[in-house]
Amino acid sequence: MSGMLGWITGNSAQKRKAAPKDAIVTLRQHLDMLQKREQHLQVQIDEQQNIARKNATTNKNAAKTAITRRRQHENTLSQTVAQISTLEQQISTIEAANINQETLKAMQKAGKAMADIHGGLTIDKVDQTMEELREQEALAKEIGEAITSNPMGQTVDEEELDGELETLRQEELDEKMLKTGTVPVSDEINRLPAAANGPLPGRAQPSREEEDQEEEFARLQAEMAL
């Protein structure tokens, strides 16, 4: 019984949904018929007008008959044009009402969808979620700072490393001295006394004239080389 009732209800809903479309189709068919009749009446009016003009001077009775028929056709044409106008207005009204109905249904579906989406949401829940996110972000930041500010292992002392490197270097030099029986050149140089500043004793300093001659000689050599 319930299945039969559902079928009847669904069938009725489909009929209500199809009613506007069926009405528009019927009105358009009738409108098409009236427009064809309008064209046919206009042709008959033109024919009777031509007959009246043709017999206006030669056959008075035929001309009057043609005028009478033309007026009848004109009267029928006026009624047909009025009917066409009425049908066009009705079609436009039904189409607009159908569009409004479909638009309203779409808006109702959209409203229901939004209600379903927001059904489990409240301002308090949103605020609580945002607060939890902020707390987690702050915790992540604190963890990152704690990891980077406390590196694993001991702190490297650069001076201690340099001292140990110098010790290793000296040990290597001593080992070479023991093997070869010689002192490295660098050490020999370090052991030599520093040269005294100033000219060597027993050697006269060149005069200004000698210096000029030397410079001139050097310039000549450079020109000959070019």
Side-chain angles (χ1 to χ4, degrees), residues 205-217 219:
Q205 295 295 321
S207 63
R208 180 66 180 175
E209 183 178 357
E210 291 177 350
E211 292 180 352
D212 293 340
Q213 290 177 355
E214 291 292 338
E215 291 179 359
E216 182 68 21
F217 181 70
R219 185 168 58 254

Side-chain angles (χ1 to χ4, degrees), residues 100-114:
N100 291 337
Q101 183 182 14
E102 295 298 328
T103 302
L104 180 59
K105 289 181 179 179
M107 293 175 65
Q108 289 174 345
K109 289 183 179 179
K112 186 178 182 302
M114 292 182 66

Side-chain angles (χ1 to χ4, degrees), residues 34-190:
L34 289 176
Q35 288 173 342
K36 291 180 179 179
R37 185 182 183 187
E38 177 187 15
Q39 295 175 356
H40 177 69
L41 289 171
Q42 187 62 52
V43 171
Q44 288 183 334
I45 290 171
D46 294 338
E47 289 179 355
Q48 297 302 321
Q49 181 68 12
N50 292 331
I51 292 173
R53 288 179 178 177
K54 184 178 180 180
N55 295 286
T57 57
T58 59
N59 191 339
K60 186 177 181 180
N61 291 329
K64 286 182 177 181
T65 301
I67 292 173
T68 301
R69 291 176 179 174
R70 187 203 66 191
R71 290 179 179 178
Q72 291 176 350
H73 294 324
E74 288 176 346
N75 186 35
T76 304
L77 179 61
S78 298
Q79 294 176 356
T80 303
V81 170
Q83 291 174 352
I84 290 174
S85 178
T86 301
L87 289 181
E88 289 176 342
Q89 184 177 359
Q90 288 179 348
I91 292 173
S92 178
T93 301
I94 294 174
E95 287 178 341
N98 190 42
I99 291 173
N100 291 337
Q101 183 182 14
E102 295 298 328
T103 302
L104 180 59
K105 289 181 179 179
M107 293 175 65
Q108 289 174 345
K109 289 183 179 179
K112 186 178 182 302
M114 292 182 66
D116 293 339
I117 293 172
H118 296 154
L121 295 178
T122 62
I123 297 299
D124 293 337
K125 289 184 178 181
V126 174
D127 291 339
Q128 181 181 356
T129 301
M130 296 303 297
E131 183 63 27
E132 291 175 355
L133 288 174
R134 284 191 289 267
E135 290 177 357
Q136 293 301 319
E137 288 178 359
L139 178 59
K141 183 177 180 182
E142 292 177 359
I143 293 173
E145 291 177 353
I147 292 174
T148 56
S149 62
N150 295 312
M152 300 295 292
Q154 298 178 350
T155 304
V156 178
D157 188 348
E158 293 294 336
E159 294 182 358
E160 184 179 352
L161 289 177
D162 291 338
E164 186 175 350
L165 180 62
E166 183 62 28
T167 301
L168 293 174
R169 180 175 174 276
Q170 187 62 43
E171 290 177 355
E172 185 180 358
L173 291 175
D174 293 342
E175 186 177 354
K176 288 182 179 180
M177 289 171 59
L178 292 174
K179 289 181 178 180
T180 60
T182 58
V183 179
V185 176
S186 60
D187 291 346
E188 292 289 350
I189 293 174
N190 291 332

